[in-house]
Amino acid sequence: MTDAEIIEGLRQEISMVKAAYNELLNDERRKMLMLDDVPLGEIVLDPDSRMIGVNKGFEEFLGYSREEFLSMRFHDLLAEGVDIHESIFPVFKRTGIVKNITWKMKKKNGDVITVLLYGRAVYDADGNFAQARGIILNITDRVNADEALKKSEQEKALILDVMSDCIIYYDTDMRVIWANRVASKLSGIPVENIAGKYCYEICHKEKGFCRGCPVGHPMMSKEPQSGEVRAAGMVFHILTHPVLSEKGDFVGLVQVIRDITEQKMLERQILEMLSNERKKIGNDLHDGLGQVLTGISFLATALQQELKHKLPSESSSASDIVEYTKKALNMMRSVINGLCPVSEDEQGLMSALENMASGVEKIYGIKCGYVCRKPVIIADYEVCNHLYFIAHEAMTNAVKHSGCSQINIFITKNFDQLRLEISDNGVGMADCRKSLNGQGLRIMKYRASIIGADIDIINNISGGTSVIATMKVPHGEESDEQ
């Protein structure tokens, strides 16, 4: 090959190198123009971490001009972490890549922004570090939003943790998503382990929902529900609120549980005090006023007999005294019966219910049957008293609202299960659940809750309504099967 051919070959190679270099410059310009139009910053650093190139996006991030940047080193822009940069930059020059490093940077006006850096090293033909190129994303808004959300979550957790009520958030499968510390204390499950548990694992530690639990209804009706549940010798008031999506779909449930055991004990004590006061008033009337009226009746009767022989014209006045005294005694007995309808003997409840049935038939002309196939003995007088008044309220509702011609009272006890039912053949109720919101029925529910009984209202298949009270009674008392 001649010298001329060699020179021509070199000229062609030089031309190709220049063309490739120009193409690289054009690519760099196109890339810089493209990055200038997107919210990303690009920086180029020399081996001493001096700024040797920035795009418009990075200028807008921090508010400096390109000329001002080119007089700075990277750590001059940091609001914190200068020592970290000094320690990792030499490592970066060897490894050649950094990903997702977060920096706090100072803007020209003194504000601080948070950025995310992704960088790569560029090496020369000999493998020596030449420069660093980095893409920077301003994540200040996202970080601020995350911090605000985290603060809100912490405040929410603090508020809910200091509440005395147990608060739990469930998913659609009734597994715990979140619970406060009271829920942890109630269940005995550590806070960090409570997520994923079913509600019945927290409350009564059994498999499946407990009878009468107000959790199931809101899942179907998408309406709040409340009720009382007894478990492990304790009484809880449970309020459940369904959580709905924007489309109205059920997505979860918030449950508020309050321990009302002590409250129920105090309420029962107050009712017992009132009952004892009623009995005292009744006894005072019987032993005091009753004896006086009885004495007057005997004296008036004796006077009537004496005047009948001596002054016949005056005996009628004595007869009137006898008659009015008897009426006063009857009125007093009615008052005593109203104060203490259930006697304290073991047959007290059965006698009181039977008297109620006969009284309804006499007063209202409605047939009223009383069915008690075997003796029902309950030692607790207050339980008997509350059961009587539950039956009385159910009877009153039937007489006033059902339009019935027949009412029946049934009472049975099988081992530790007692059942009291008041059934009529009236018009029935359109919605038995909503009917529980009436004043009289709320009173029945309240009395039932005091003694640990459940109240159900059902429409009879043959027509009419049944109010049913069921409860457990101590094993030591007699049962129908003995």
Side-chain angles (χ1 to χ4, degrees):
M1 182 179 292
T2 64
D3 290 343
E5 290 176 337
I6 293 173
I7 292 171
E8 183 60 29
L10 290 173
R11 285 176 179 173
Q12 291 178 0
E13 289 181 6
I14 291 172
S15 297
M16 291 173 62
V17 170
K18 286 182 177 180
Y21 179 72
N22 290 331
E23 183 65 25
L24 286 172
L25 288 177
N26 289 333
D27 286 344
E28 181 70 16
R29 292 191 187 97
R30 284 195 293 269
K31 183 191 72 173
M32 295 295 289
L33 288 172
M34 181 177 65
L35 288 175
D36 282 345
D37 295 329
V38 297
L40 289 174
E42 184 185 31
I43 59 172
V44 183
L45 305 179
D46 69 8
D48 294 323
S49 80
R50 295 184 181 277
M51 311 286 290
I52 58 176
V54 295
N55 75 332
K56 185 187 289 186
F58 195 62
E59 293 178 33
E60 293 176 352
F61 282 171
L62 299 183
Y64 295 102
S65 67
R66 188 181 302 269
E67 290 72 21
E68 289 174 314
F69 274 123
L70 297 181
S71 65
M72 299 179 179
R73 296 178 65 181
F74 182 80
H75 67 244
D76 295 330
L77 302 174
L78 297 179
E80 58 185 52
V82 173
D83 54 337
I84 297 175
H85 166 71
E86 297 293 344
S87 64
I88 67 173
F89 191 69
V91 178
F92 161 71
K93 290 195 290 186
R94 293 195 304 270
T95 58
I97 187 170
V98 290
K99 294 181 179 180
N100 300 328
I101 294 184
T102 301
W103 297 106
K104 297 282 188 181
M105 288 190 165
K106 297 177 293 186
K107 297 178 67 172
K108 188 174 181 178
N109 63 6
D111 293 342
V112 176
I113 65 171
T114 306
V115 301
L116 196 64
L117 172 66
Y118 179 92
R120 279 189 176 276
V122 178
Y123 300 95
D124 61 19
D126 297 325
N128 297 316
F129 179 84
Q131 58 182 223
R133 289 182 173 273
I135 298 296
I136 292 178
L137 175 65
N138 186 352
I139 60 170
T140 306
D141 291 342
R142 190 180 77 187
V143 169
N144 289 342
D146 289 344
E147 289 178 352
L149 179 60
K150 183 178 179 180
K151 182 181 179 182
S152 175
E153 289 291 327
Q154 290 173 341
E155 290 174 346
K156 179 198 73 174
L158 177 61
I159 292 170
L160 295 179
D161 280 342
V162 298
M163 294 181 68
S164 59
D165 293 339
C166 165
I167 302 174
I168 309 173
Y169 181 32
Y170 297 100
D171 63 15
T172 54
D173 295 325
M174 294 310 300
R175 287 183 180 272
V176 177
I177 297 175
W178 183 91
N180 66 349
R181 294 189 180 277
V182 181
S184 172
K185 183 178 179 181
L186 175 67
S187 63
I189 302 172
V191 173
E192 60 273 14
N193 298 334
I194 203 168
K197 301 290 185 183
Y198 284 107
C199 68
Y200 49 78
E201 294 180 274
I202 295 175
C203 292
H204 52 75
K205 310 296 178 67
E206 297 177 2
K207 294 183 178 180
F209 298 116
C210 52
R211 184 179 183 275
C213 181
V215 169
H217 181 61
M219 297 172 64
M220 305 301 296
S221 68
K222 300 179 182 178
E223 295 180 354
Q225 178 73 13
S226 63
E228 293 180 5
V229 171
R230 293 175 180 267
M234 303 176 72
V235 187
F236 302 99
H237 180 268
I238 300 180
L239 178 65
T240 53
H241 283 271
V243 180
L244 306 179
S245 67
E246 292 182 357
K247 296 181 180 180
D249 297 327
F250 177 79
V251 296
L253 191 75
V254 175
Q255 186 179 60
V256 181
I257 304 175
R258 177 172 295 177
D259 182 358
I260 58 172
T261 307
E262 185 174 353
Q263 174 187 329
K264 288 297 179 184
M265 290 175 61
L266 291 173
E267 288 175 355
R268 180 163 184 169
Q269 289 174 4
I270 291 171
L271 289 175
E272 288 177 356
M273 289 171 61
L274 292 174
S275 177
N276 291 334
E277 191 64 25
R278 286 198 304 269
K279 286 190 290 184
K280 182 179 182 300
I281 294 172
N283 290 334
D284 288 345
L285 286 173
H286 181 273
D287 297 338
L289 180 60
Q291 296 299 323
V292 171
L293 289 174
T294 301
I296 292 173
S297 178
F298 284 138
L299 290 173
T301 301
L303 179 61
Q304 179 191 13
Q305 294 298 324
E306 185 176 346
L307 291 175
K308 190 174 182 180
H309 299 289
K310 295 181 179 180
L311 293 171
S313 60
E314 301 296 330
S315 65
S316 61
S317 297
S319 179
D320 290 340
I321 295 173
V322 173
E323 185 64 26
Y324 282 116
T325 304
K326 289 181 178 178
K327 287 182 178 180
L329 280 168
N330 289 333
M331 291 175 65
M332 184 197 68
R333 292 189 184 101
S334 296
V335 171
I336 293 173
N337 187 60
L339 289 170
C340 307
V342 182
S343 63
E344 294 188 76
D345 61 82
E346 62 180 19
Q347 305 285 332
L349 178 60
M350 292 183 289
S351 299
L353 292 175
E354 189 172 10
N355 290 337
M356 183 195 300
S358 62
V360 166
E361 193 160 339
K362 289 178 183 178
I363 296 171
Y364 300 103
I366 298 174
K367 292 182 179 179
C368 189
Y370 169 70
V371 180
C372 179
R373 293 185 173 87
K374 293 184 180 181
V376 175
I377 308 301
I378 303 173
D380 192 325
Y381 174 77
E382 292 304 322
V383 170
C384 295
N385 213 35
H386 286 296
L387 288 173
Y388 173 84
F389 282 110
I390 288 171
H392 186 272
E393 190 63 47
M395 185 76 72
T396 301
N397 286 344
V399 169
K400 288 183 177 179
H401 306 299
S402 72
C404 64
S405 60
Q406 175 75 44
I407 303 175
N408 289 310
I409 303 174
F410 302 92
I411 183 168
T412 59
K413 185 156 71 76
N414 184 12
F415 293 103
D416 64 346
Q417 293 294 326
L418 182 139
R419 176 186 173 95
L420 174 64
E421 178 179 350
I422 296 85
S423 180
D424 65 66
N425 64 349
V427 296
M429 292 185 176
D431 189 333
C432 292
R433 183 176 293 277
K434 289 183 179 179
S435 70
L436 285 169
N437 294 325
Q439 180 64 28
L441 298 174
R442 283 201 295 269
I443 293 173
M444 285 195 291
K445 285 182 64 180
Y446 175 75
R447 286 189 175 276
S449 71
I450 292 296
I451 58 176
D454 293 315
I455 290 286
D456 288 318
I457 298 181
I458 62 173
N459 283 323
N460 301 324
I461 296 175
S462 57
T465 305
S466 288
V467 178
I468 303 170
T470 55
M471 67 174 293
K472 286 186 176 182
V473 292
H475 291 282
E477 298 175 8
E478 291 185 28
S479 72
D480 293 350
E481 299 300 320
Q482 286 183 320

